[in-house]
């Protein structure tokens, strides 16, 4: 599943697109025809993200907010005219186009986008760029009440400046669940996924099986700050890399089961935790 830093990258991309003015919206697949019609010939006033949820506020009568959750299979693909800086692709599966160093075809001269694929749920077409949404878990129009309901069930987002560690710590210290479950639960903290869970718990030397309520406030603070730092790095670089030397590998423990720990040499272990494979070093994360 696409992690939170990529959704914030989408918000940045749509901020650039919003500068191009009026949007032509359509649903080539036909499953979002009514919603697309409501957005057609409108203007995006505010693109923003919270956790794994993308929100696009439109200047139209209520409901005025497009809410998209990519889930396991959703993705946005972009086509851009000359001089417009956009990612080529964000979402599943991981493809060239999200990382700033990836290359993708920039349309030269007059902008004539390629026709949409048969699975495109929503096409947003601007004067010199196109954004195509395929396979999302959720794609819906919401009013303010609907948006507030989503936010009410989400925890603080490390990439939102107004969020601080206090909310996360308070939630974590009140549950008997394991910290490895808590980091994956969007109601405790919004945005991190399986990779950030494994990597930041390792970096903070916290065993994923430790009861969250028994993790000290100091270590929970360190975990929040590390999640914020590493997700900001992902936001900037367009991919997740948590090691100091990417040439030696991007990850400390993620998907390195039965391999030696890069820090101490102990064999990395794995288990299923909160429905996903969790990786940790039994020596570094006692």
């Amino acid at each position: 599943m696409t992690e939170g830093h990529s959704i914030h990258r989408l918000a940045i991309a749509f901020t650039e697109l919003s500068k191009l003015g009026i949007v032509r919206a359509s649903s080539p697949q036909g499953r979002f025809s009514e919603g697309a019609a409501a957005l057609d010939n409108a203007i995006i006033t505010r693109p923003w993200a919270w956790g794994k949820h993308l929100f696009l506020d439109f200047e139209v009568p209520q409901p005025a907010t497009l809410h998209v959750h990519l889930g396991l299979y959703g993705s946005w693909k972009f086509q851009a005219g000359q001089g417009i800086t956009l990612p080529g692709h964000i979402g599943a599966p991981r493809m060239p186009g999200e990382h700033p160093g990836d290359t993708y075809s920039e349309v030269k001269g007059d902008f004539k986008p390629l026709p949409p694929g048969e699975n495109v749920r929503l096409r947003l077409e601007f004067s010199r760029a196109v954004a195509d949404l395929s396979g999302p878990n959720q794609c819906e129009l919401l009013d303010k009440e609907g948006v507030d309901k989503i936010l009410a069930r989400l925890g603080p987002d490390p990439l939102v400046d107004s969020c601080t560690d206090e909310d996360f710590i308070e939630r974590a210290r009140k549950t008997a669940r394991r910290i490895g479950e808590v980091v994956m639960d969007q109601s405790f903290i919004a945005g991190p996924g399986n990779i950030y869970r494994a990597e930041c718990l390792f970096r903070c030397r916290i065993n994923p099986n430790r009861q969250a309520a028994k993790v000290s406030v100091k270590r929970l603070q360190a975990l929040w700050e590390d999640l914020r730092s590493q997700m900001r790095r992902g936001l900037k670089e367009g991919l997740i890399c948590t090691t100091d030397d990417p040439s030696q590998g991007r990850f400390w423990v993620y998907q390195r089961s039965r391999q030696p720990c890069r820090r101490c040499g102990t064999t990395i272990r794995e288990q299923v935790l909160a429905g996903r494979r969790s990786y940790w070093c039994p020596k570094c994360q006692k």
Side-chain angles (χ1 to χ4, degrees):
M1 183 179 293
T2 305
E3 303 215 20
H5 74 282
S6 291
I7 307 305
H8 281 268
R9 284 179 61 79
L10 283 170
I12 292 172
F14 277 103
T15 297
E16 292 303 307
L17 287 171
S18 68
K19 299 174 183 177
L20 299 178
I22 293 175
V23 180
R24 296 305 311 271
S26 61
S27 180
Q29 182 191 59
R31 292 182 59 185
F32 193 62
S33 297
E34 186 175 341
L39 301 178
D40 194 36
N41 286 312
I43 294 175
I44 298 176
T45 58
R46 182 194 174 205
W48 56 287
W50 194 288
K52 299 180 181 182
H53 300 259
L54 175 69
F55 300 93
L56 302 179
D57 294 343
F58 280 80
E59 195 177 72
V60 295
Q62 293 290 341
T65 298
L66 174 68
H67 166 238
V68 174
H69 188 289
L70 293 180
L72 290 173
Y73 307 109
S75 68
W76 284 96
K77 294 182 180 179
F78 299 90
Q79 300 175 57
Q82 191 170 9
I84 300 176
T85 302
L86 288 174
H89 170 276
I90 292 181
R94 174 70 177 101
M95 295 170 58
E98 179 178 354
H99 186 279
D102 293 338
T103 59
Y104 64 98
S105 298
E106 183 185 65
V107 179
K108 305 295 183 180
D110 293 338
F111 179 67
K112 295 181 179 180
L114 297 173
E118 61 181 12
N119 294 319
V120 172
R121 182 81 54 88
L122 173 64
R123 165 167 279 205
L124 297 178
E125 187 169 353
F126 302 80
S127 59
R128 293 181 293 130
V130 161
D132 285 336
L133 171 67
S134 301
N137 178 267
Q138 292 175 295
C139 175
E140 57 186 347
L141 285 183
L142 299 175
D143 56 17
K144 184 180 184 302
E145 182 181 1
V147 172
D148 289 344
K149 285 182 179 179
I150 292 175
L151 296 180
R153 66 174 187 255
L154 296 176
D157 182 338
L159 291 178
V160 174
D161 290 340
S162 62
C163 294
T164 63
D165 59 6
E166 286 89 350
D167 191 5
F168 166 62
I169 292 171
E170 181 181 2
R171 294 170 189 241
R173 295 283 287 180
K174 290 181 178 179
T175 181
R177 295 172 64 188
R178 291 173 287 182
I179 189 65
E181 296 175 289
V182 165
V183 176
M184 286 286 285
D185 190 326
Q186 301 296 294
S187 68
F188 285 89
I189 183 169
N194 201 30
I195 302 177
Y196 283 122
R197 169 178 71 172
E199 293 296 291
C200 292
L201 286 174
F202 173 83
R203 288 167 55 88
C204 294
R205 296 180 178 269
I206 301 173
N207 190 301
N209 292 298
R210 186 168 180 80
Q211 189 179 50
K214 294 182 178 179
V215 179
S216 70
V217 170
K218 183 177 180 179
R219 298 185 89 181
L220 288 173
Q221 288 173 330
L223 177 59
W224 169 270
E225 290 302 326
D226 198 58
L227 284 165
R228 171 171 280 185
S229 172
Q230 293 306 309
M231 292 179 71
R232 282 177 172 171
R233 181 180 178 184
L235 178 63
K236 178 181 179 181
E237 298 179 356
L239 85 170
I240 303 175
C241 176
T242 64
T243 60
D244 300 325
D245 184 1
S247 67
Q248 301 299 313
R250 289 167 50 198
F251 306 129
W252 289 99
V253 294
Y254 178 70
Q255 291 188 339
R256 298 194 63 247
S257 178
R258 296 183 294 277
Q259 298 181 49
C261 173
R262 299 187 192 278
R263 183 182 286 159
C264 72
T266 302
T267 301
I268 300 298
R269 295 182 184 176
E270 73 169 87
Q271 70 181 104
V272 175
L273 187 59
R276 303 290 299 278
R277 293 191 179 277
S278 175
Y279 306 86
W280 84 101
C281 171
K283 183 175 180 180
C284 293
Q285 298 169 262
K286 291 183 178 179

